[in-house]
Amino acid sequence: LAEGRLPSVAIGPSPLASALRRPAFWLLAVACSVHWFVITGLLVHFLPMMQERSVPPDIAVAIFAFNGPAAVIGRLALYVVDPTNSARRTGRIAFPVFALGMLALIYVAPMGFWGLVVYALVYGMAAGVIMIVRQTAIAEIFGLRGYGAITGALTTACILPRTIAPLSIAMMRDSFGSYEPVLWILFAMILVATIAFWLAMAGKHRQE
């Protein structure tokens, strides 16, 4: 500085470019895209789905509203069960529970009001925890350097699935004539997301 020159700074490879070259990024993108697709699709189609099952509108709205508190319960439970908030541990639990939530919607919810409550609790808790896991997984896999850019890229990759979910589910429902086959397709998608997440978290973690 005394000589009027700025000190040279070693410029390493772009964190985003490095992340995009790793399979873990794309596996995580698959898992997060499925999560967004399912929660956005059900958000739009839940009430007509309940109408198809002859659930009274007031009960359907109450169950729909309970998803929010269930997500909060899930997040509180996360800090009790895993105070370190490890994405590897919590995600490996949350994604299978998310699948169980879909099975509850298929099998348990038709049993009546308390069946719907069980569905909303399991599904809402898992969906809420995955929202957090999605962010912490990026830091665990890729480190904190370039966190903003990598998170932005992952969010961008999820935009299309999130956008087309309501229309895609509507088209599937019209094609099958019922929501039941659609729910099985969503369940299969969640299984794929679960496998993708496990594979993404199986590699070496970085902490920077």
Side-chain angles (χ1 to χ4, degrees):
L1 291 176
E3 298 176 359
R5 291 183 293 107
L6 291 175
S8 60
V9 178
I11 301 176
S14 165
L16 177 57
S18 299
L20 293 176
R21 289 194 294 267
R22 295 179 59 182
F25 176 87
W26 299 105
L27 289 167
L28 193 59
V30 169
C32 294
S33 294
V34 169
H35 176 249
W36 273 121
F37 184 94
V38 172
I39 64 174
T40 304
L42 287 186
L43 178 70
V44 174
H45 287 274
F46 184 78
L47 293 182
M49 185 187 304
M50 293 298 100
Q51 183 180 23
E52 182 179 280
R53 291 181 170 184
S54 300
V55 176
D58 55 340
I59 293 179
V61 171
I63 295 300
F64 180 81
F66 184 60
N67 278 310
V72 175
I73 293 172
R75 290 165 183 169
L76 291 175
L78 169 64
Y79 290 103
V80 175
V81 175
D82 183 17
T84 63
N85 197 18
S86 167
R88 169 180 283 184
R89 286 191 293 269
T90 56
R92 286 177 172 177
I93 297 173
F95 272 97
V97 173
F98 194 44
L100 288 177
M102 186 57 61
L103 283 180
L105 181 57
I106 296 172
Y107 285 116
V108 182
M111 295 180 181
F113 175 76
W114 290 110
L116 287 167
V117 171
V118 169
Y119 146 72
L121 182 62
V122 176
Y123 173 88
M125 287 177 63
V129 170
I130 291 174
M131 287 282 192
I132 297 176
V133 168
R134 204 172 55 208
Q135 306 303 321
T136 56
I138 296 173
E140 284 194 20
I141 297 174
F142 306 106
L144 295 178
R145 182 169 177 263
Y147 176 85
I150 297 171
T151 301
L154 186 64
T155 302
T156 301
C158 296
I159 288 177
L160 181 59
R162 184 179 184 180
T163 303
I164 68 173
L167 178 59
S168 299
I169 291 178
M171 294 174 65
M172 286 190 287
R173 192 271 171 205
D174 290 344
S175 176
F176 292 118
S178 168
Y179 277 109
E180 297 304 313
V182 178
L183 295 180
W184 281 110
I185 292 174
L186 296 181
F187 174 71
M189 292 175 64
I190 295 173
L191 292 183
V192 171
T194 301
I195 295 171
F197 182 85
W198 276 61
L199 292 175
M201 300 305 294
K204 182 180 179 181
H205 290 194
R206 296 177 56 191
Q207 297 293 338
E208 298 178 0

